[in-house]
Amino acid sequence: MLSKRSIKRESKVFALELAIRMMDLTTLEGADTPGKVAALSSKGIRPDPTDPGIPSVAAICVYPNLVPYALERTRGTTVRVASVATAFPSGQSPIEVKLEETRWVVEAGAHEVDMVIDRGAFLSGRYAQVYDEIVRVKEICGQRAHLKVIIETGELGTYDNVRRASLLAIAGGADFIKTSTGKAATNATLPVALCMLEVIRDVHEETGRVVGMKVAGGIRQSKQAVQFLVQVHETLGLAWLTPDRYRIGASTLLNDVLMQIRKERTGRYQNPDYFTVD
Amino acid sequence: MTERKQDVARRAEKSPLTTAWDYAPAPEARDIVHIQERYGLFIGGKFVEPLSGERYTTIDPAREEPLSEVAQANKADVNRAVKAARGAFDGPWSKLRPSERAKYLFRIARILQERSREFAVLESLNGGKPIRESRDVDVPLAAAHFFYYAGWADKLEYAFPNRRPRPIGVAGQIIPWNFPLLMLAWKIAPALAAGNTVVLKPAETTPLTALLFCDVVRQAELPPGVVNIVTGDGRTGAEIVAHPGVDKIAFTGSTEVGKAIQRTLAGTGKRLTLELGGKAANIIFDDAPLDQAVEGIINGIYFNQGHVCCAGSRLFVQESIYEATIAKLKRRMRTLRVGDPLDKNTDVGAINSKAQLEKIVSLVRSGVEEGAELYQPPCKLPERGYWFVPTVFTNVAQSYRIAQEEIFGPVLSVLTFRTPDEAIEKANNTPYGLSAGVWTEKGSRILAMAQRLRAGVIWANTYNRFDPASPFGGYKESGFGREGGRHGLEAYVAMDDA
Amino acid sequence: MKRLPVQKTYKLFIGGAFPRSESGRTYVAERANVARASRKDLRDAVRIARQAGVGWAKATAYNRGQVLYRIAEMMETRRSELVSFVSRAGEVDRAIDRVVWYAGWADKLGQVIGSANPVAGPYFNFTVPEPTGVTGILAPEPPLLGLVSRLSPVIVGGNTAVVIASEAHPLVAIEFAECLATADVPPGVVNILTGLRKELAPWLASHMDVAALDLTGGDGDAAELERLGAENVKRVVRGRPDGQSPYDIAAFLELKTVWHPIGM
């Protein structure tokens, strides 16, 4: 029912600007270079050079090697730097290696760490191992970096597993739970996101603890982003409609959102040539 | 490049929202549908003036505004309609090759699909149901019904082997106001597929989509007299039931009127099917995925403002999960949007009529008086129009009126149970038997419950799902006969003894 | 001066598109150059038919019925063109009505050939029909009616088809393919190959990924083709070129029976 909400006009612009403020602008490619990250950072700080009123994104999300460049470019701004870690995206490395990578990323100064759970362990029933890894990564993050735990919903197979993995991640100390790496065949969908939001809600109600949510992967159009926000609004309420508690991991989404905002303001359908590609 | 400090500051704004996120109105455009100032009766392929000379006003229940003047058909009008139906039956219609008959029905199905937005808007305007429902459920299902039965028209021998199935004659059909176009499809499609002709009376408060349907009949070039639409109140219905020229009556509506019809027809040899009221039990076990079950409860009772004969109006919660379920239910009710049926974000629309609203209010009052605990989420209702806030009663005893009588509104009564046997006993403890819902992860339990619940339709881990291929109808005082599926043809064919 | 008409090129119909034969060959039929499909074209068609079968089998019966009805809509629109290719009066009308007839079976077949079975124990037991898979069809004469009569029961049940059209009268088959291409039929559900029957049929009959074979259009070669089909236990069907029955649909369906205990 919730995906059928129809959000128009001022209400839509409100949602779109919120979507930008919540975005983790992401580049996770083998071909990433300092130059690419520099361009992306500028884009994230000032998404629309012709409209200074457009807010900055929440964070830039990169691979560990690119963290120093991202930090340099975003220094003095409100834009955070998030780094993936723990043998992203597969998680298929020994625990010692994954912990060492995390240490390196935190030392380098990343504000946020996006880790992956070991799906091989999870799907073969070794839940305690999955839990333990999260605890140990969280220990390394300590107070310096906040931890997002990617459960990779597209590989988990059932909603029951999504719920189980979410609870495990929260128990292990996650500050945020995150749907996907963006590298799998299926990434963030409304049903899995709802499942995870319900876990966050139940935990909050029973313990008062606040855990954030991040949807990532496959969100390319503004309409989808708005639907995800409606879902948060109607499941967790206004308190969760903030970058401190909700993030959208995306890259091409940003320009689509900018085009939609400009269309609402000018009344004309837009042309991608008028928006910078960084 | 330097920037203005306030722009930098504005971009850095990260604090949580303090103002609410109000969704802007998202109205479906009304101008797609043209409503005439007045309508006649559709008899013999054209609109004619009622011999009664009488008309009444039909309104938009969300705004209490008049929409059109429609005819009040009297005995002479009904007679004229039945004669036209008889003439068409004896004449062209029964002489047609069944595969040609099928093609008329396929045409109707396709035209309904083509004009679906028009019908959806009109349905919401005249009846009060949210546009999202008429657009996504009512109209598509109506078209699908015609498409499904079109396929049976030239295949009756396969549905009833060795029994020489053939049409009965003229069918008199009386339908309710809760799914006006869909109920029309449920009646007309199988009747025509089997080779009968019809005289159909839409409900008093919701005539307009039936009258617009006459234009579809015209576009499909259906032979005159095959479908006749006569509008009017209960008196018109009584005339149809009593008319000697009608061979079969199909009625969907209240149990009270159904019984009256059955009495009237006793001894006449006329065929009869009835689809009457219900007081369905919706049963949640402790192993049900609770959030999904709550979604199912909401859909079961607040869909179409609860104006559904098969609504899940009695919620049976296993005691061990009672607190959690009620908490989730109440929270979910707070996100329901009650308002303009034509707004695409509306979840719960207007109550169909003042009379119905009064019935709901009266029964709700009885619930409070008898000692049940009432909860209604905070809800701002529009000034004009007929509205009722989604309501849930807890601490309900089996004997309370709100647990026994059909309310036909967005009002849920919650009872508890400890064991499956207890749930079944209480669920079956009613003169009704139309539908039931079961929520549990355990497959064998679904089947065991389905086996023992005395109801014609059982939904497991879902609710209010309809399909033209799926037979629908009740046990006990919820009526007899089935609509939909191969079984839905039975009511409309005459057959040799098996 | 009489206007010179633009001549049509008759190609194959594979995956919703009209490619020439990969072999580049044609043969002459009905005074036109018609694509002469090769075994590689057939191999590609089977592969595409298998891929298309995944979605087609999952489509709702209602959806399949609507697609078939739309094929009839397109045929009706092109009625005069189709009539110009056939010699028998009424063949086109009969073919269109045949498609409509089969369209109406899509969402009813389960109710006629499926069942809930009253087994002697606390079990819910039911039988449902399911599509067999990629079906090879040797289209019989008459060139339109025969093709349509054998194709419709195959696809309405959820199977996909690779059809070898009439060798002597292939043009109407390609004309019919143009109806399919504009009728919302998912690409690859129906593939039509024109060419030499003796060349193509054995490859179809021996293909290990073809699950069923309709030999209604086979003549002297039917027995040999059936023998070739035995290697992967193909369902071999011989029907009537101008008949219609739900059992013609059932011939290309598997029956699945499911048990589930009943108990609290």
Side-chain angles (χ1 to χ4, degrees):
Chain A
M1 200 195 271
L2 296 182
S3 70
K4 291 192 178 172
R5 290 280 185 242
S6 182
I7 309 296
K8 303 281 181 213
R9 292 181 256 132
E10 332 68 62
S11 175
K12 185 171 173 184
V13 173
F14 173 93
L16 293 172
E17 290 193 333
L18 190 57
I20 297 179
R21 290 202 284 118
M22 289 173 164
M23 211 175 290
D24 282 2
L25 195 56
T26 304
T27 183
L28 292 167
E29 303 301 323
D32 285 340
T33 59
K36 163 77 183 177
V37 168
L40 195 75
S41 305
S42 301
K43 178 84 175 173
I45 296 165
R46 208 148 185 272
D48 186 347
T50 70
D51 185 351
I54 298 285
S56 301
V57 301
I60 304 293
C61 186
V62 292
Y63 270 119
N65 280 350
L66 286 312
V67 166
Y69 304 101
L71 279 171
E72 194 188 306
R73 277 303 199 155
T74 57
R75 199 177 320 278
T77 71
T78 58
V79 177
R80 314 270 76 191
V81 172
S83 173
V84 297
T86 68
F88 179 99
S90 72
Q92 298 276 17
S93 281
I95 180 66
E96 297 77 20
V97 170
K98 295 197 274 195
L99 293 177
E100 186 53 40
E101 190 186 12
T102 311
R103 245 171 243 125
W104 190 96
V105 156
V106 174
E107 288 302 320
H111 307 108
E112 307 180 354
V113 173
D114 286 23
M115 73 169 281
V116 290
I117 63 167
D118 184 338
R119 278 89 71 203
F122 183 85
L123 291 170
S124 51
R126 287 174 274 142
Y127 301 127
Q129 181 185 330
V130 174
Y131 169 77
D132 185 65
E133 284 188 11
I134 299 169
V135 168
R136 291 166 76 178
V137 170
K138 174 68 178 170
E139 250 171 10
I140 296 173
C141 293
Q143 295 300 321
R144 294 165 66 178
H146 97 185
L147 177 64
K148 300 194 197 90
V149 177
I150 303 172
I151 61 173
E152 195 68 309
T153 55
E155 287 178 356
L156 296 182
T158 66
Y159 294 120
D160 285 339
N161 274 351
V162 169
R163 191 174 170 92
R164 199 173 286 141
S166 302
L167 280 166
L168 217 49
I170 292 175
D175 296 302
F176 267 63
I177 50 176
K178 177 173 164 184
T179 58
S180 336
T181 59
K183 301 296 182 190
T186 315
N187 296 296
T189 64
L190 286 168
V192 296
L194 181 61
C195 191
M196 293 169 73
L197 288 174
E198 285 166 356
V199 175
I200 291 176
R201 188 180 64 192
D202 289 346
V203 166
H204 180 67
E205 262 169 30
E206 284 175 44
T207 68
R209 182 162 152 211
V210 170
V211 175
M213 171 76 185
K214 178 169 170 180
V215 290
I219 306 173
R220 287 183 198 93
Q221 295 192 335
S222 304
K223 194 162 186 175
Q224 291 169 283
V226 172
Q227 281 171 354
F228 278 103
L229 290 179
V230 166
Q231 190 184 58
V232 180
H233 183 224
E234 300 202 8
T235 312
L236 286 165
L238 281 176
W240 255 261
L241 279 179
T242 157
D244 290 338
R245 296 192 188 181
Y246 195 84
R247 296 284 181 86
I248 303 175
S251 43
T252 53
L253 175 65
L254 183 53
N255 271 1
D256 194 71
V257 171
L258 293 176
M259 283 186 15
Q260 288 304 311
I261 294 176
R262 203 178 286 178
K263 184 246 166 194
E264 289 301 320
R265 295 215 170 118
T266 63
R268 287 166 186 271
Y269 287 106
Q270 294 297 311
N271 172 344
D273 288 345
Y274 290 78
F275 297 87
T276 61
V277 175
D278 299 90
Chain B
M1 181 193 318
T2 53
E3 301 182 272
R4 298 188 310 170
K5 259 193 147 150
Q6 48 265 62
D7 289 330
V8 176
R10 206 144 49 104
R11 281 210 303 274
E13 184 56 63
K14 271 198 181 22
S15 53
L17 302 168
T18 45
T19 57
W21 181 16
D22 289 324
Y23 306 149
E28 181 67 51
R30 262 177 86 140
D31 53 13
I32 188 169
V33 63
H34 167 70
I35 305 176
Q36 289 171 207
E37 264 183 46
R38 58 218 311 261
Y39 287 90
L41 303 170
F42 188 72
I43 296 177
K46 55 190 200 297
F47 277 104
V48 298
E49 280 298 293
L51 295 168
S52 69
E54 234 188 285
R55 279 196 163 76
Y56 69 93
T57 309
T58 186
I59 64 162
D60 166 6
R63 279 163 269 271
E64 293 181 66
E65 275 168 13
L67 293 172
S68 181
E69 303 279 308
V70 303
Q72 169 66 34
N74 66 4
K75 187 176 177 144
D77 292 308
V78 169
N79 187 45
R80 191 174 171 186
V82 173
K83 272 188 129 114
R86 172 66 51 190
F89 180 75
D90 290 339
W93 195 239
S94 57
K95 304 217 174 27
L96 264 186
R97 276 208 324 272
S99 55
E100 296 297 287
R101 222 165 53 215
K103 286 198 265 188
Y104 279 112
L105 289 167
F106 278 120
R107 279 187 179 190
I108 292 175
R110 299 294 269 179
I111 296 170
L112 269 178
Q113 286 175 327
E114 284 163 16
R115 298 179 70 170
S116 62
R117 190 52 53 102
E118 218 180 315
F119 274 94
V121 170
L122 186 56
E123 193 77 302
S124 286
L125 212 44
N126 194 204
K129 69 170 68 199
I131 184 72
R132 216 177 51 218
E133 280 171 21
S134 43
R135 179 194 71 195
D136 294 346
V137 180
D138 290 59
V139 177
L141 274 176
H145 238 86
F146 276 101
F147 201 92
Y148 177 81
Y149 278 107
W152 272 123
D154 52 359
K155 303 177 178 69
L156 294 178
E157 308 73 35
Y158 296 99
F160 306 105
N162 290 327
R163 300 196 63 196
R164 259 196 347 121
R166 49 208 185 272
I168 302 175
V170 174
Q173 306 178 317
I174 299 163
I175 59 175
W177 46 260
N178 58 348
F179 294 92
L181 183 69
L182 184 57
M183 292 297 101
L184 179 154
W186 279 27
K187 296 285 182 285
I188 294 186
L192 261 49
N196 305 289
T197 54
V198 309
V199 174
L200 180 139
K201 187 193 88 66
E204 184 186 343
T205 55
T206 55
L208 294 182
T209 43
L211 292 166
L212 185 61
F213 180 75
C214 300
D215 201 49
V216 172
V217 162
R218 179 191 61 82
Q219 281 185 315
E221 299 174 311
L222 198 63
V226 174
V227 168
N228 304 277
I229 307 280
V230 294
T231 50
D233 58 24
R235 295 171 288 164
T236 312
E239 292 300 342
I240 295 174
V241 170
H243 198 294
V246 169
D247 302 298
K248 183 240 162 6
I249 292 290
F251 173 78
T252 298
S254 72
T255 298
E256 195 190 316
V257 175
K259 289 181 184 177
I261 292 177
Q262 191 170 5
R263 276 182 218 113
T264 307
L265 291 185
T268 62
K270 274 196 213 171
R271 306 266 299 264
L272 175 65
T273 46
L274 296 172
E275 205 268 277
L276 308 175
K279 192 72 183 175
N282 206 352
I283 304 168
I284 303 194
F285 286 93
D286 58 12
D287 69 332
L290 217 41
D291 287 304
Q292 277 149 269
V294 166
E295 205 57 36
I297 303 171
I298 295 282
N299 185 42
I301 184 59
Y302 301 123
F303 165 70
N304 202 26
Q305 299 75 253
H307 298 154
V308 188
C309 40
C310 48
S313 51
R314 285 184 296 157
L315 177 62
F316 285 94
V317 186
Q318 195 154 28
E319 237 181 279
S320 45
I321 50 161
Y322 177 76
E323 299 293 345
T325 307
I326 298 303
K328 283 182 189 274
L329 178 62
K330 288 181 178 172
R331 191 210 293 111
R332 179 66 178 94
M333 285 167 75
R334 290 196 279 275
T335 56
L336 289 175
R337 302 170 70 86
V338 181
D340 181 5
L342 284 184
D343 190 308
K344 288 178 260 190
N345 286 325
T346 294
D347 298 316
V348 181
I351 303 298
N352 182 257
S353 67
K354 190 148 191 260
Q356 187 57 30
L357 180 58
E358 279 163 10
K359 277 200 197 123
I360 298 169
V361 167
S362 152
L363 272 162
V364 167
R365 189 178 306 126
S366 82
V368 175
E369 280 164 17
E370 286 190 282
E373 200 180 307
L374 176 145
Y375 173 77
Q376 290 175 329
C379 195
K380 188 170 182 301
L381 298 176
E383 297 264 304
R384 294 186 59 95
Y386 312 127
W387 310 95
F388 201 82
V389 177
T391 302
V392 62
F393 276 107
T394 49
N395 288 336
V396 177
Q398 186 82 339
S399 60
Y400 291 175
R401 286 184 67 200
I402 51 171
Q404 291 291 322
E405 295 174 39
E406 190 182 32
I407 302 176
F408 225 65
V411 179
L412 178 64
S413 297
V414 183
L415 303 95
T416 58
F417 70 94
R418 291 152 302 168
T419 64
D421 282 346
E422 191 186 339
I424 289 168
E425 195 185 26
K426 289 190 171 159
N428 289 339
N429 177 230
T430 161
Y432 292 115
L434 184 52
S435 57
V438 177
W439 298 83
T440 170
E441 285 288 76
K442 200 166 177 209
S444 53
R445 179 151 52 199
I446 289 173
L447 296 171
M449 293 295 288
Q451 204 176 47
R452 293 171 61 189
L453 285 166
R454 301 281 297 163
V457 182
I458 310 221
W459 285 295
N461 293 329
T462 184
Y463 209 90
N464 278 339
R465 309 264 356 145
F466 308 99
D467 192 280
S470 178
F472 183 93
Y475 284 35
K476 307 193 282 185
E477 288 192 19
S478 293
F480 45 78
R482 294 290 174 271
E483 295 180 280
R486 182 184 67 82
H487 304 81
L489 285 169
E490 260 182 63
Y492 291 100
V493 295
M495 293 189 270
D496 292 348
D497 290 334
Chain C
M1 282 274 290
K2 204 165 167 285
R3 181 185 170 276
L4 190 69
V6 178
Q7 283 182 331
K8 184 161 177 170
T9 308
Y10 289 90
K11 301 190 279 176
L12 309 172
F13 180 62
I14 300 180
F18 292 88
R20 293 181 199 272
S21 167
E22 61 79 41
S23 65
R25 306 169 309 175
T26 57
Y27 74 109
V28 176
E30 300 179 270
R31 295 178 343 154
N33 296 315
V34 183
R36 187 176 143 189
S38 68
R39 61 179 171 83
K40 291 190 184 173
D41 295 315
L42 190 144
R43 171 201 66 190
D44 292 343
V46 171
R47 186 174 41 88
I48 284 169
R50 172 175 242 243
Q51 280 164 0
V54 175
W56 188 237
K58 273 203 225 143
T60 61
Y62 178 43
N63 182 239
R64 288 200 295 268
Q66 291 210 59
V67 169
L68 257 83
Y69 186 78
R70 189 141 173 89
I71 296 174
E73 283 184 9
M74 294 299 114
M75 289 172 77
E76 189 80 49
T77 311
R78 289 169 167 264
R79 191 179 169 281
S80 44
E81 285 157 48
L82 291 166
V83 165
S84 69
F85 286 104
V86 303
S87 51
R88 280 175 32 162
E91 183 179 340
V92 173
D93 289 342
R94 218 170 149 74
I96 296 174
D97 286 352
R98 178 128 309 145
V99 176
V100 174
W101 195 83
Y102 274 110
W105 268 115
D107 49 9
K108 299 170 183 61
L109 204 70
Q111 295 172 322
V112 168
I113 71 167
S115 52
N117 307 310
V119 295
Y123 296 93
F124 182 60
N125 177 303
F126 61 95
T127 299
V128 287
E130 277 185 7
T132 296
V134 177
T135 302
I137 302 177
L138 297 190
E141 301 292 322
L144 177 64
L145 183 59
L147 194 162
V148 157
S149 298
R150 299 316 303 164
L151 175 66
S152 306
V154 166
I155 60 174
V156 76
N159 302 295
T160 54
V162 175
V163 182
I164 300 178
S166 156
E167 186 175 321
H169 306 107
L171 302 188
V172 73
I174 299 305
E175 195 71 32
F176 172 69
E178 290 168 17
C179 297
L180 296 173
T182 51
D184 303 330
V185 180
V189 169
V190 181
N191 306 276
I192 300 180
L193 306 176
T194 50
L196 305 187
R197 186 152 290 190
K198 281 214 157 27
E199 183 186 333
L200 295 171
W203 289 102
L204 190 60
S206 64
H207 199 302
M208 298 295 278
D209 204 9
V210 169
L213 203 55
D214 185 315
L215 295 182
T216 309
D219 34 61
D221 51 351
E224 172 60 16
L225 295 173
E226 194 166 343
R227 201 186 58 76
L228 283 170
E231 191 62 29
N232 67 325
V233 192
K234 282 184 178 59
R235 283 87 171 102
V236 177
V237 174
R238 243 173 290 197
R240 298 158 294 163
D242 182 12
Q244 60 186 34
S245 162
Y247 298 99
D248 286 329
I249 309 175
F252 298 98
L253 298 175
E254 305 300 320
L255 290 173
K256 170 179 293 176
T257 300
V258 180
W259 294 71
H260 195 300
I262 301 176
M264 292 300 181

